[in-house]
């Protein structure tokens, strides 16, 4: 248990430049406290002590502002930065080295029994306020931008951004191993690319019309704008 805790705290130093000491992280980071409570409640859940597991999780929620269902499966070196308002549903599966920010919801959209919540593979980063909904899979190393709403699978290594989320293309050279809030310097949003293309086309059309108008005037033809 203590070795695992040391591993968790060591991973935080790699992802949070504000972390200054082991003692500070242990005592002042709600994400660490929520993870410790979850491990206890998850163990109780596996022993079929359901009420006690839920009560333990409920107390943890009151202390940290982070709600994790005892049945959720969480891997190693999981980090919830800031933490307030995070909700993780019962059938959620989280891999290793995953990072969530405050306000994230890993929720379900169905009343049916069975898998209802997302699966986050290793090294996924989910930005603040994002909602990942349904029994979908977020592939290894994928990123979910802040305040995005994701209801479909996201392939490995891809960034999803927007409402509903769009998949962005990124160059491997510009992609670091970890990016805070799932932000990188090279996000080629297809919608923004299209808008910029349309604006460029409109500007070029205006330039050509102005040139044509000048040439008509040189030929003695007056081209007046219609009211």
């Amino acid at each position: 248990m203590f070795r695992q805790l040391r591993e968790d705290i060591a991973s935080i130093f790699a992802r949070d430049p504000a972390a200054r000491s082991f003692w500070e992280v242990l005592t002042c980071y709600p994400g660490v406290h929520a993870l410790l409570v979850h491990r206890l409640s998850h163990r109780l859940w596996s022993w079929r002590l359901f009420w006690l597991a839920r009560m333990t999780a409920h107390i943890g929620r009151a202390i940290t502002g982070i709600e994790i269902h005892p049945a959720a499966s969480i891997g190693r070196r999981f980090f919830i930065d800031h933490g307030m308002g995070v909700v993780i549903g019962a059938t959620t599966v989280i891999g290793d080295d995953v990072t969530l920010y405050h306000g994230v919801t890993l929720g379900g959209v169905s009343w049916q029994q069975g898998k209802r919540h997302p699966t986050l593979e290793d090294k996924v980063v989910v930005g603040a306020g994002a909602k990942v909904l349904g029994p979908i899979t977020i592939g290894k190393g994928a990123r979910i931008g802040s305040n995005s709403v994701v209801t479909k699978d996201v392939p490995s290594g891809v960034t999803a951004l927007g409402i509903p989320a769009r998949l962005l293309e990124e160059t491997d050279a510009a992609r670091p191993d970890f990016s805070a809030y799932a932000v990188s310097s090279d996000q080629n949003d297809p919608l923004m690319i299209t808008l910029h293309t349309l604006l460029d086309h409109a500007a070029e059309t205006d330039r050509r019309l102005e040139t044509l108008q000048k040439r008509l005037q040189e030929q003695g033809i007056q081209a007046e704008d219609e009211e």
Side-chain angles (χ1 to χ4, degrees), residues 46-196:
S46 69
W47 292 341
R48 304 187 65 82
L49 299 173
F50 300 129
W51 179 87
L52 187 57
R54 290 301 299 268
M55 179 55 67
T56 301
H58 182 68
I59 294 172
R61 175 194 178 193
I63 295 172
T64 66
I66 299 169
E67 181 175 343
I68 308 177
H69 194 284
S73 176
I74 297 178
R76 299 168 59 186
R77 298 177 297 277
F78 178 53
F79 179 34
I80 304 176
D81 199 358
H82 301 294
M84 184 63 68
V86 168
V87 177
I88 299 175
T91 61
T92 300
V93 177
I94 297 175
D96 297 336
D97 302 297
V98 170
T99 304
L100 306 185
Y101 287 87
H102 48 283
V104 168
T105 299
L106 306 180
V109 294
S110 172
W111 293 99
Q112 303 297 323
Q113 295 295 322
K115 188 77 166 76
R116 298 180 292 112
H117 301 90
T119 294
L120 276 57
E121 296 183 349
D122 298 347
K123 298 184 178 181
V124 168
V125 179
V126 184
K131 315 301 177 188
V132 184
L133 308 174
I136 61 177
T137 298
I138 310 301
K140 182 177 180 180
R143 298 165 178 168
I144 309 301
S146 295
N147 297 315
S148 299
V149 178
V150 183
T151 57
K152 297 181 180 179
D153 292 347
V154 176
S156 298
V158 171
T159 295
L161 181 67
I163 306 175
R166 305 180 301 278
L167 303 183
L168 311 185
E169 297 180 0
E170 295 184 281
T171 61
D172 293 337
R175 182 182 179 87
D177 291 336
F178 174 77
S179 60
Y181 292 92
V183 173
S184 70
S185 60
D186 184 26
Q187 292 186 341
N188 298 317
D189 186 340
L191 179 59
M192 294 306 298
I193 290 174
T194 301
L195 289 175
H196 283 297

